[in-house]
Structure formats: structure tokens, C-alpha cells
């Protein structure tokens, strides 16, 4: 969804997004088994070690690009494994 803000002669476009917090991401992958994390790795291309570090809290603030790669695959990874 777009929000358009107008200013005389200028226009800015901003996306209205719901970006999950680091804590929300961790809560979503914390209950996943290693098999499910392996499936998530295969689906997303994010290394297993990175997913484990996020899951265990060793990475407190994962990068948005890393999260973007795997967050949409969590449900499928849980089903596959």
C-alpha cells in the first residue's frame, strides 16, 4: 500500500509496511526443529548457522535483507519437516 505525501512541487512515496521486530522473528523461529531450520535454509538460501544464531539470540538485530530472505518461508519450512 502506498501513502503519497504532497508538497508544492515535490512528491514522496512511502510504503506502509509491517516489519517484524527482531524479537518477533526470534519468537517465530525459536520453536523450529533443526530439520525445519534446514528446510528454511533450503527454501531461503540463508545459511543454517545464521538461522541458528538468530534463533539462539547470538544475533540480536538481524539485517533486514537476511530477514526478508527467510521470513516468507517459515510456514512452508515447518510443513516440510
Amino acid at each position: 500500500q502506498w501513502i503519497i505525501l504532497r508538497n508544492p512541487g515535490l512528491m514522496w512515496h512511502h510504503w506502509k509496511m509491517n516489519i517484524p521486530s527482531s524479537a518477533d522473528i526470534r519468537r517465530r523461529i525459536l520453536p523450529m526443529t533443526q530439520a525445519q531450520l534446514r528446510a528454511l535454509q533450503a527454501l531461503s538460501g540463508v545459511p543454517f548457522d545464521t538461522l541458528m544464531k538468530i534463533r539462539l539470540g547470538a544475533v540480536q538485530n538481524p539485517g533486514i535483507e537476511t530477514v526478508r530472505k527467510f521470513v516468507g518461508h517459515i510456514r512452508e519450512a515447518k510443513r516440510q519437516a
Side-chain angles (χ1 to χ4, degrees), residues 13-31:
H13 296 274
H14 295 276
W15 277 331
K16 188 177 181 182
M17 292 188 212
N18 293 325
I19 300 173
S21 70
S22 310
D24 290 337
I25 293 297
R26 185 166 180 258
R27 270 193 293 275
R28 289 184 66 187
I29 66 171
L30 188 61

Side-chain angles (χ1 to χ4, degrees), residues 2-58:
W2 288 91
I3 298 173
I4 300 173
L5 304 173
R6 296 181 190 273
N7 194 353
L10 298 173
M11 188 179 343
W12 294 280
H13 296 274
H14 295 276
W15 277 331
K16 188 177 181 182
M17 292 188 212
N18 293 325
I19 300 173
S21 70
S22 310
D24 290 337
I25 293 297
R26 185 166 180 258
R27 270 193 293 275
R28 289 184 66 187
I29 66 171
L30 188 61
M32 293 178 75
T33 65
Q34 286 196 12
Q36 290 170 329
L37 289 173
R38 293 273 182 210
L40 187 57
Q41 170 194 8
L43 290 166
S44 68
V46 175
F48 177 79
D49 290 343
T50 301
L51 295 170
M52 282 298 290
K53 287 176 184 176
I54 294 168
R55 180 178 179 249
L56 298 173

Side-chain angles (χ1 to χ4, degrees), residues 56-72:
L56 298 173
V59 174
Q60 293 293 320
N61 190 15
I64 193 165
E65 287 301 315
T66 300
V67 172
R68 181 188 62 78
K69 287 178 184 178
F70 75 82
V71 73

